[in-house]
Amino acid sequence: MDVKEINKYGQELVDCLKLKTSPVAVKLIPKGGEIPEGMKEVDEAMRHCQLVDRVRRTGEEFYTLIDDQMCKGGAGAMGLGEMPPKVASGEFYFNKLKQFSTQGAARRTLERVPKLPPHSTEAILYSPLEKATFIPDVVVVIGNPKQIMLLTQAAMYKTGGRVEASFAGKQSLCSDGVVNVYKEGKIGVTVGCSGSRTYTKISEEEMIMGIPVELLADVATGLKEICPK
């Protein structure tokens, strides 16, 4: 699969699903890896969820380093630096956000958040899929339930099966939408988290799907077959 095919699949997703914003190509550059020559660094620090939301709306392409990622919990999950101790332990969610009844409940949830080894990622690239100049690891699609349904049906078109969703409403676009998909090589569906629902323009009517690039061709092909005429 080359970049031209990636772009073609991106445009097909936009056209068939009638997406109002672009699918977002995300690539994790391993530690010591090289950032593509000529690609610009993002111009301000933002959260990963904000970066995805910005790219899908503006059509920009850029890379980020650890200092460009405002949410260190999300950055740590994606291997940029380390997960802050109070986030990793659940203390932040229990004591500050009051989202759990006990510290133990918070800890158990955060222990199961998908994450990459600390400092294993050098940089993260973002681009609208139909314009990307690189081959992504994961494609993040933000759409309404019907659009996510069609993507699910498209993914099942070739071999059948089921999409297995795993989420807790915590670290959604970073851990669920990117890291878990990257690690497992399987499509993931998630519903957002308090951060992504607060700091982005993702609407109450939208949800998120992460697609590993290895499955993108099959999803795009299936979508063309079932695409509503």
Side-chain angles (χ1 to χ4, degrees):
M1 188 184 304
D2 59 24
V3 170
K4 286 186 178 180
E5 289 178 296
I6 292 290
N7 298 156
K8 178 173 73 74
Y9 294 144
Q11 192 59 55
E12 288 173 356
L13 263 61
V14 171
D15 293 343
C16 180
L17 296 172
K18 297 179 173 59
L19 292 172
K20 295 180 180 179
T21 60
S22 295
V24 178
V26 178
K27 186 173 185 64
L28 306 176
I29 302 293
K31 196 68 176 179
E34 294 185 359
I35 297 166
E37 185 176 355
M39 184 174 292
K40 70 174 184 178
E41 186 174 0
V42 70
D43 56 6
E44 63 176 314
M46 302 178 77
R47 296 164 178 83
H48 166 76
C49 53
Q50 291 176 307
L51 293 162
V52 171
D53 196 42
R54 172 174 166 175
V55 167
R56 74 171 179 132
R57 296 177 187 280
T58 66
E60 296 172 89
E61 179 177 86
F62 47 68
Y63 71 88
T64 64
L65 303 174
I66 178 61
D67 290 340
D68 300 316
Q69 296 275 349
M70 187 180 293
C71 174
K72 300 308 180 186
M78 295 185 292
L80 279 174
E82 298 186 22
M83 185 84 73
K86 290 185 178 181
V87 173
S89 69
E91 181 181 345
F92 173 74
Y93 292 96
F94 173 58
N95 285 331
K96 185 170 183 178
L97 297 186
K98 310 296 184 183
Q99 292 183 345
F100 291 93
S101 63
T102 66
Q103 174 76 41
R107 173 185 51 77
R108 282 189 290 273
T109 302
L110 270 295
E111 284 177 348
R112 296 183 62 183
V113 165
K115 56 184 75 70
L116 295 176
H119 304 287
S120 61
T121 301
E122 184 77 30
I124 303 176
L125 315 185
Y126 300 84
S127 179
L129 187 63
E130 69 274 19
K131 298 178 182 177
T133 61
F134 58 87
I135 296 177
D137 295 312
V138 175
V139 176
V140 178
V141 182
I142 300 174
N144 63 43
K146 182 178 180 180
Q147 291 164 334
I148 301 302
M149 177 200 76
L150 288 169
L151 283 172
T152 301
Q153 293 173 342
M156 299 300 103
Y157 183 80
K158 184 176 181 180
T159 60
R162 295 180 69 83
V163 169
E164 298 178 1
S166 175
F167 53 84
K170 303 287 182 290
Q171 296 189 309
S172 183
L173 267 79
C174 49
S175 294
D176 297 340
V178 173
V179 176
N180 197 48
V181 177
Y182 177 82
K183 291 178 69 173
E184 301 296 329
K186 298 178 181 179
I187 288 172
V189 175
T190 186
V191 294
C193 57
S194 299
S196 61
R197 295 287 181 187
T198 299
Y199 297 111
T200 74
K201 296 180 181 178
I202 296 173
S203 75
E204 293 181 359
E205 292 76 27
E206 291 181 309
M207 53 194 301
I208 302 100
M209 175 179 277
I211 304 170
V213 71
E214 295 89 347
L215 298 182
L216 180 60
D218 285 346
V219 171
T221 299
L223 192 60
K224 286 179 68 176
E225 295 296 330
I226 68 166
C227 189
K229 302 299 188 280

